[in-house]
Amino acid sequence: EADIYQTPRYLVIGTGKKITLECSQTMGHDKMYWYQQDPGMELHLIHYSYGVNSTEKGDLSSESTVSRIRTEHFPLTLESARPSHTSQYLCASSRGGGTEAFFGQGTRLTVV
Amino acid sequence: SQQGEEDPQALSIQEGENATMNCSYKTSINNLQWYRQNSGRGLVHLILIRSNEREKHSGRLRVTLDTSKKSSSLLITASRAADTASYFCATDPDSARQLTFGSGTQLTVLP
């Protein structure tokens, strides 16, 4: 069982709301990632971080933002949610140096 | 664009049969990893093979890597209904910091 947690597990919100998806890991990993995945589809990297105060945008353009103030915490924020943001968001972490990634259970976001 | 591409996109087999999935990638890598995802859940790491390895085993899993062809295969022997899931390959390119995933193979094992 991986020590990486995402909350909430499911979220239904109205258009225009600001939301923050939480991701925490207790493994002391430096690298953390956010992926977006539509049902049955591939994963798209939207943000990653390789340490505190270091964040980068991924391959897929996203209107979300992230922060990495503490090693264990990597929240993702949408300032104004839209129906096009409806998707599953997966957080992951790894020790780095080509090691395996550990995933949270995901947050399924629906914007109505 | 995605680094890895799995083939086939979907595979349906009977319990007890072997399942083979392939992954092709584009750039040089440090290692290649395979993950499993049950419907609506996060991914779980299965096996990692380094660029200087050609074959690796873990239980009923066998992974091969051919760096000259930039391809890998995952073989699941004696499949079970519980193996039904999506399987993804992921590469750790030596020129980048992030892990990138392929498009996945949806495996269905019929009881």
Side-chain angles (χ1 to χ4, degrees), chain A residues 9-10 31 33 35 37 40-45 48 50 57-59 88 90 97-106 108, chain B residues 1-2 4-5 30-31 33 35 37 39-45 48 50 86 88 92 96-104:
Chain A
R9 184 81 175 85
Y10 302 94
K31 287 188 175 181
Y33 314 81
Y35 292 89
Q37 183 188 33
M41 303 296 284
E42 59 198 300
L43 280 76
H44 292 282
L45 181 69
Y48 64 99
Y50 33 90
K57 289 188 179 294
D59 302 324
Q88 174 160 259
L90 294 167
T99 58
E100 68 182 274
F102 294 85
F103 279 80
Q105 290 298 305
R108 187 169 297 279
Chain B
S1 62
Q2 294 297 305
E5 293 293 331
N30 286 322
N31 66 63
Q33 304 175 32
Y35 289 78
Q37 183 182 34
S39 181
R41 313 285 283 192
L43 279 72
V44 175
H45 182 264
L48 180 153
R50 300 198 184 283
S86 291
F88 293 86
D92 182 20
R97 301 173 187 255
Q98 66 273 27
L99 197 62
T100 54
F101 285 81
S103 51

Coordinates of all heavy atoms in Angstrom, one line a residue, chain A residues 9-10 31 33 35 37 40-45 48 50 57-59 88 90 97-106 108, chain B residues 1-2 4-5 30-31 33 35 37 39-45 48 50 86 88 92 96-104:
Chain A
R9 N -11.9 12.2 -3.0 CA -11.9 11.1 -3.9 C -12.8 11.5 -5.1 O -12.5 11.1 -6.2 CB -12.4 9.9 -3.2 CG -12.4 8.6 -4.0 CD -11.0 8.0 -4.1 NE -11.0 6.8 -4.8 CZ -10.9 6.7 -6.1 NH1 -10.8 7.8 -6.9 NH2 -11.0 5.5 -6.7
Y10 N -13.9 12.1 -4.8 CA -14.9 12.5 -5.8 C -15.3 14.0 -5.5 O -15.4 14.3 -4.3 CB -16.1 11.7 -5.8 CG -15.9 10.2 -6.1 CD1 -15.7 9.3 -5.1 CD2 -15.7 9.7 -7.4 CE1 -15.5 8.0 -5.3 CE2 -15.5 8.4 -7.7 CZ -15.3 7.5 -6.6 OH -15.1 6.2 -6.8
K31 N 10.4 13.9 -6.0 CA 9.6 14.1 -7.2 C 8.2 13.9 -7.0 O 7.8 12.8 -6.4 CB 10.1 13.2 -8.3 CG 11.5 13.5 -8.9 CD 11.8 12.7 -10.1 CE 13.1 13.1 -10.8 NZ 13.4 12.3 -12.0
Y33 N 4.2 14.4 -9.1 CA 3.6 14.6 -10.4 C 2.1 14.8 -10.3 O 1.5 14.2 -9.4 CB 3.9 13.4 -11.3 CG 5.3 12.9 -11.4 CD1 5.7 12.0 -10.4 CD2 6.1 13.2 -12.4 CE1 7.0 11.5 -10.4 CE2 7.4 12.7 -12.4 CZ 7.8 11.8 -11.4 OH 9.1 11.3 -11.5
Y35 N -1.1 14.1 -13.0 CA -1.5 13.6 -14.3 C -3.0 13.8 -14.4 O -3.8 13.7 -13.5 CB -1.3 12.1 -14.5 CG 0.2 11.8 -14.6 CD1 0.9 11.5 -13.4 CD2 0.9 11.7 -15.8 CE1 2.3 11.2 -13.5 CE2 2.2 11.4 -15.9 CZ 2.9 11.1 -14.7 OH 4.2 10.8 -14.8
Q37 N -6.3 12.3 -16.6 CA -6.7 11.1 -17.3 C -8.2 11.0 -17.5 O -8.9 11.0 -16.5 CB -6.2 9.8 -16.6 CG -6.5 8.6 -17.4 CD -6.2 7.3 -16.6 OE1 -6.3 7.3 -15.4 NE2 -5.7 6.3 -17.3
G40 N -10.6 5.5 -19.4 CA -10.1 4.6 -20.4 C -9.0 5.2 -21.4 O -8.7 4.6 -22.4
M41 N -8.5 6.4 -21.0 CA -7.6 7.0 -21.9 C -6.2 7.1 -21.3 O -5.9 6.6 -20.2 CB -8.1 8.4 -22.3 CG -9.5 8.5 -22.9 SD -9.5 7.6 -24.5 CE -8.7 8.9 -25.5
E42 N -5.3 7.7 -22.0 CA -3.9 7.8 -21.6 C -3.7 8.8 -20.5 O -4.6 9.7 -20.3 CB -3.0 8.1 -22.7 CG -3.3 9.4 -23.4 CD -2.7 9.5 -24.8 OE1 -1.4 9.4 -24.9 OE2 -3.4 9.6 -25.8
L43 N -2.6 8.8 -19.8 CA -2.3 9.8 -18.8 C -1.5 11.0 -19.4 O -0.7 10.7 -20.3 CB -1.4 9.2 -17.7 CG -2.0 8.3 -16.6 CD1 -2.3 7.0 -17.2 CD2 -1.0 8.2 -15.4
H44 N -1.9 12.1 -19.1 CA -1.2 13.3 -19.5 C -0.6 14.1 -18.3 O -1.3 14.4 -17.4 CB -2.2 14.3 -20.2 CG -2.7 13.7 -21.5 ND1 -2.0 13.7 -22.7 CD2 -3.9 13.2 -21.8 CE1 -2.7 13.2 -23.7 NE2 -3.9 12.8 -23.2
L45 N 0.7 14.3 -18.4 CA 1.4 15.0 -17.4 C 1.1 16.5 -17.4 O 1.3 17.1 -18.5 CB 2.9 14.8 -17.5 CG 3.8 15.5 -16.5 CD1 3.6 14.8 -15.1 CD2 5.3 15.4 -16.9
Y48 N 4.8 18.9 -12.7 CA 5.7 18.1 -11.9 C 6.6 18.9 -11.0 O 6.8 20.1 -11.3 CB 6.5 17.1 -12.7 CG 7.4 17.7 -13.7 CD1 8.8 17.8 -13.5 CD2 6.9 18.1 -15.0 CE1 9.6 18.3 -14.4 CE2 7.8 18.6 -15.9 CZ 9.2 18.7 -15.6 OH 10.0 19.2 -16.6
Y50 N 10.4 18.6 -8.7 CA 11.5 17.8 -8.2 C 12.1 18.2 -6.9 O 13.2 17.9 -6.6 CB 12.6 17.6 -9.3 CG 12.8 18.8 -10.2 CD1 13.7 19.8 -9.9 CD2 12.1 18.9 -11.4 CE1 13.9 20.9 -10.7 CE2 12.2 20.0 -12.2 CZ 13.1 21.0 -11.8 OH 13.3 22.1 -12.6
K57 N 5.6 22.9 -15.6 CA 4.5 22.5 -16.4 C 4.8 21.3 -17.2 O 5.9 21.1 -17.7 CB 4.0 23.6 -17.3 CG 3.3 24.8 -16.6 CD 2.7 25.7 -17.5 CE 2.0 26.9 -16.8 NZ 0.8 26.4 -16.0
G58 N 3.8 20.4 -17.4 CA 4.0 19.2 -18.1 C 3.7 19.3 -19.6 O 3.7 20.4 -20.1
D59 N 3.5 18.2 -20.2 CA 3.3 18.1 -21.6 C 1.9 18.7 -22.0 O 1.8 19.3 -23.1 CB 3.3 16.7 -22.2 CG 4.7 16.1 -21.9 OD1 5.7 16.7 -21.9 OD2 4.7 14.8 -21.6
Q88 N -10.3 12.8 -14.4 CA -9.7 12.2 -13.2 C -8.3 12.8 -13.1 O -7.5 12.9 -14.1 CB -9.6 10.7 -13.3 CG -8.8 10.1 -12.1 CD -9.1 8.6 -11.9 OE1 -9.8 8.3 -11.0 NE2 -8.5 7.8 -12.7
L90 N -4.7 12.4 -11.2 CA -3.8 11.4 -10.5 C -2.6 12.1 -10.0 O -1.9 12.7 -10.8 CB -3.5 10.3 -11.3 CG -4.6 9.4 -11.8 CD1 -4.2 8.4 -12.9 CD2 -5.2 8.6 -10.6
G97 N 15.7 9.5 -9.7 CA 16.8 8.6 -10.2 C 16.4 7.4 -10.8 O 17.0 6.3 -10.7
G98 N 15.2 7.4 -11.5 CA 14.8 6.3 -12.3 C 14.1 5.2 -11.5 O 14.1 4.1 -11.8
T99 N 13.5 5.6 -10.3 CA 12.8 4.6 -9.5 C 11.3 4.6 -9.8 O 10.8 5.5 -10.5 CB 13.0 5.0 -8.0 OG1 12.6 6.3 -7.8 CG2 14.5 4.9 -7.7
E100 N 10.6 3.7 -9.2 CA 9.2 3.5 -9.5 C 8.4 4.7 -8.9 O 8.8 5.3 -7.9 CB 8.7 2.2 -8.8 CG 8.7 2.2 -7.3 CD 8.2 0.9 -6.8 OE1 7.0 0.7 -6.6 OE2 9.1 0.1 -6.5
A101 N 7.3 5.0 -9.5 CA 6.3 6.0 -9.0 C 5.2 5.4 -8.2 O 4.8 4.3 -8.6 CB 5.8 6.8 -10.2
F102 N 4.8 6.0 -7.2 CA 3.7 5.6 -6.4 C 2.5 6.6 -6.6 O 2.7 7.8 -6.6 CB 4.0 5.6 -4.9 CG 5.1 4.6 -4.5 CD1 6.4 4.9 -4.7 CD2 4.7 3.4 -4.1 CE1 7.4 4.0 -4.3 CE2 5.7 2.4 -3.7 CZ 7.0 2.8 -3.9
F103 N 1.3 6.0 -6.9 CA 0.2 6.8 -7.2 C -0.8 6.8 -6.1 O -1.0 5.9 -5.4 CB -0.5 6.2 -8.5 CG 0.2 6.6 -9.7 CD1 1.3 6.0 -10.2 CD2 -0.4 7.7 -10.5 CE1 1.9 6.3 -11.4 CE2 0.3 8.0 -11.7 CZ 1.4 7.4 -12.1
G104 N -1.5 8.0 -6.0 CA -2.7 8.1 -5.1 C -3.9 7.4 -5.9 O -3.8 7.0 -7.0
Q105 N -5.0 7.4 -5.2 CA -6.2 6.8 -5.7 C -6.9 7.6 -6.8 O -7.8 7.2 -7.5 CB -7.2 6.4 -4.6 CG -6.7 5.3 -3.8 CD -6.5 4.0 -4.5 OE1 -7.4 3.5 -5.2 NE2 -5.3 3.4 -4.5
G106 N -6.5 8.9 -6.8 CA -7.1 9.8 -7.8 C -8.3 10.6 -7.3 O -8.9 10.2 -6.3
R108 N -11.8 12.2 -8.9 CA -12.6 12.3 -10.0 C -13.4 13.6 -9.9 O -14.2 13.7 -9.0 CB -13.5 11.1 -10.2 CG -14.3 11.1 -11.5 CD -15.0 9.8 -11.7 NE -14.1 8.7 -11.9 CZ -13.5 8.4 -13.0 NH1 -13.6 9.1 -14.0 NH2 -12.7 7.3 -13.0
Chain B
S1 N 3.7 15.1 -27.0 CA 3.3 13.8 -27.4 C 3.8 12.7 -26.5 O 4.8 12.9 -25.8 CB 3.8 13.5 -28.8 OG 5.2 13.5 -28.8
Q2 N 3.1 11.6 -26.4 CA 3.5 10.5 -25.5 C 4.7 9.9 -25.9 O 5.0 9.6 -27.1 CB 2.3 9.5 -25.3 CG 1.1 10.1 -24.7 CD 1.3 10.5 -23.3 OE1 1.7 9.8 -22.5 NE2 1.0 11.8 -23.0
G4 N 5.6 6.7 -25.0 CA 5.4 5.3 -25.2 C 4.0 5.0 -25.9 O 3.1 5.8 -25.6
E5 N 4.0 4.0 -26.7 CA 2.7 3.6 -27.3 C 2.6 2.1 -27.1 O 3.4 1.3 -27.4 CB 2.7 3.9 -28.8 CG 2.7 5.4 -29.1 CD 1.5 6.1 -28.7 OE1 0.4 5.5 -28.7 OE2 1.5 7.3 -28.4
N30 N 16.6 5.6 -19.4 CA 17.3 5.0 -18.3 C 16.7 3.7 -17.9 O 17.4 2.7 -17.6 CB 17.3 5.9 -17.1 CG 18.2 7.1 -17.2 OD1 19.3 7.0 -17.7 ND2 17.8 8.2 -16.7
N31 N 15.4 3.7 -17.9 CA 14.7 2.4 -17.6 C 13.3 2.5 -18.2 O 12.8 3.6 -18.6 CB 14.6 2.2 -16.1 CG 13.8 3.2 -15.4 OD1 12.6 3.3 -15.6 ND2 14.4 3.9 -14.5
Q33 N 9.2 1.1 -17.3 CA 8.4 0.5 -16.2 C 7.1 0.1 -16.7 O 6.5 0.7 -17.6 CB 8.3 1.5 -15.0 CG 9.6 2.0 -14.5 CD 9.5 3.1 -13.5 OE1 8.5 3.2 -12.7 NE2 10.5 4.0 -13.4
Y35 N 3.0 -0.6 -15.4 CA 2.1 -0.3 -14.4 C 0.7 -0.9 -14.7 O 0.4 -1.1 -15.9 CB 1.9 1.2 -14.2 CG 3.1 1.9 -13.6 CD1 4.2 2.3 -14.3 CD2 3.1 2.3 -12.2 CE1 5.3 2.9 -13.8 CE2 4.1 3.0 -11.7 CZ 5.2 3.3 -12.4 OH 6.3 3.9 -11.9
Q37 N -3.5 -0.5 -13.9 CA -4.6 0.3 -13.4 C -5.9 -0.4 -13.4 O -6.4 -0.7 -14.5 CB -4.6 1.7 -14.1 CG -5.7 2.6 -13.6 CD -5.8 3.9 -14.4 OE1 -5.6 3.9 -15.6 NE2 -6.0 5.1 -13.7
S39 N -10.0 -0.2 -13.0 CA -10.9 0.9 -13.4 C -11.2 1.9 -12.3 O -11.5 1.5 -11.2 CB -12.2 0.2 -13.8 OG -13.1 1.2 -14.3
G40 N -10.9 3.2 -12.7 CA -11.2 4.2 -11.7 C -10.3 4.4 -10.6 O -10.6 5.1 -9.6
R41 N -9.1 3.7 -10.6 CA -8.2 3.8 -9.5 C -6.8 4.4 -10.0 O -6.7 4.7 -11.2 CB -7.9 2.4 -9.0 CG -9.2 1.6 -8.7 CD -9.9 2.0 -7.5 NE -9.2 1.5 -6.3 CZ -9.8 1.6 -5.1 NH1 -11.0 2.1 -4.9 NH2 -9.1 1.2 -4.0
G42 N -5.9 4.5 -9.0 CA -4.6 4.9 -9.4 C -3.8 3.8 -10.0 O -4.2 2.7 -10.1
L43 N -2.6 4.1 -10.4 CA -1.7 3.1 -11.0 C -0.9 2.4 -10.0 O -0.5 3.0 -9.0 CB -0.8 3.7 -12.1 CG -1.4 4.0 -13.5 CD1 -2.4 5.1 -13.4 CD2 -0.3 4.2 -14.5
V44 N -0.6 1.1 -10.2 CA 0.3 0.4 -9.3 C 1.5 -0.1 -10.1 O 1.3 -0.7 -11.2 CB -0.5 -0.8 -8.7 CG1 0.4 -1.7 -7.9 CG2 -1.7 -0.3 -7.9
H45 N 2.7 0.1 -9.6 CA 3.9 -0.4 -10.2 C 4.0 -1.9 -10.3 O 3.8 -2.5 -9.2 CB 5.1 0.3 -9.5 CG 6.4 -0.1 -10.1 ND1 7.2 -1.1 -9.7 CD2 7.1 0.5 -11.1 CE1 8.3 -1.2 -10.4 NE2 8.2 -0.2 -11.3
L48 N 10.2 -3.0 -13.2 CA 11.1 -2.0 -13.8 C 12.2 -2.7 -14.4 O 12.8 -3.7 -13.8 CB 11.6 -1.0 -12.7 CG 12.6 0.1 -13.1 CD1 12.5 1.3 -12.1 CD2 14.0 -0.4 -13.2
R50 N 15.9 -2.0 -16.5 CA 16.9 -1.0 -16.8 C 17.4 -1.1 -18.2 O 17.3 -2.2 -18.8 CB 18.1 -1.0 -15.8 CG 17.6 -0.9 -14.4 CD 18.7 -0.5 -13.4 NE 18.2 -0.5 -12.0 CZ 17.5 0.6 -11.5 NH1 17.2 1.6 -12.3 NH2 17.1 0.5 -10.3
S86 N -6.1 -2.1 -17.0 CA -5.3 -1.5 -18.1 C -3.8 -1.5 -17.7 O -3.5 -1.4 -16.5 CB -5.7 0.0 -18.2 OG -7.0 0.1 -18.8
F88 N 0.0 0.0 -18.5 CA 0.7 1.1 -19.1 C 2.2 0.9 -19.0 O 2.7 0.4 -18.0 CB 0.4 2.4 -18.4 CG -1.0 2.8 -18.5 CD1 -2.0 2.4 -17.7 CD2 -1.4 3.7 -19.5 CE1 -3.3 2.8 -17.8 CE2 -2.7 4.2 -19.6 CZ -3.6 3.7 -18.8
D92 N 11.6 6.5 -18.4 CA 12.3 7.5 -17.7 C 13.5 7.9 -18.6 O 14.6 7.4 -18.5 CB 12.9 6.8 -16.4 CG 13.7 7.8 -15.5 OD1 13.5 9.0 -15.7 OD2 14.5 7.4 -14.7
A96 N 15.4 13.9 -19.5 CA 14.2 14.6 -18.9 C 14.1 14.2 -17.5 O 14.7 13.2 -17.0 CB 12.9 14.4 -19.7
R97 N 13.4 15.0 -16.7 CA 13.2 14.6 -15.3 C 11.9 13.9 -15.0 O 11.8 13.4 -13.9 CB 13.2 15.9 -14.5 CG 14.5 16.7 -14.7 CD 14.3 18.1 -14.0 NE 15.5 19.0 -14.2 CZ 16.4 19.2 -13.3 NH1 16.4 18.7 -12.1 NH2 17.4 20.0 -13.6
Q98 N 10.9 13.9 -16.0 CA 9.6 13.4 -15.6 C 9.4 12.0 -16.2 O 10.0 11.7 -17.3 CB 8.5 14.3 -16.0 CG 8.4 14.5 -17.5 CD 9.2 15.6 -18.1 OE1 10.3 15.9 -17.5 NE2 8.8 16.2 -19.2
L99 N 8.6 11.2 -15.6 CA 8.2 9.9 -16.1 C 7.0 10.1 -17.0 O 6.1 10.8 -16.7 CB 7.7 9.1 -14.9 CG 7.6 7.6 -15.0 CD1 9.0 7.0 -15.3 CD2 7.1 7.0 -13.7
T100 N 7.1 9.5 -18.2 CA 6.0 9.7 -19.2 C 5.4 8.3 -19.6 O 6.1 7.4 -19.7 CB 6.5 10.4 -20.5 OG1 7.6 9.7 -21.0 CG2 6.9 11.8 -20.2
F101 N 4.1 8.3 -19.7 CA 3.3 7.1 -19.9 C 2.9 6.9 -21.3 O 2.6 7.9 -22.0 CB 2.2 7.1 -18.9 CG 2.5 6.8 -17.5 CD1 3.0 7.9 -16.7 CD2 2.4 5.6 -17.0 CE1 3.4 7.6 -15.4 CE2 2.8 5.3 -15.7 CZ 3.3 6.4 -14.9
G102 N 2.7 5.6 -21.7 CA 2.1 5.3 -23.0 C 0.5 5.4 -22.9 O 0.0 5.8 -21.8
S103 N -0.1 4.9 -23.9 CA -1.6 5.0 -24.0 C -2.3 3.9 -23.4 O -3.5 3.9 -23.2 CB -2.0 5.2 -25.5 OG -1.4 4.2 -26.3
G104 N -1.6 2.8 -23.0 CA -2.2 1.7 -22.3 C -2.9 0.6 -23.1 O -3.3 0.9 -24.3

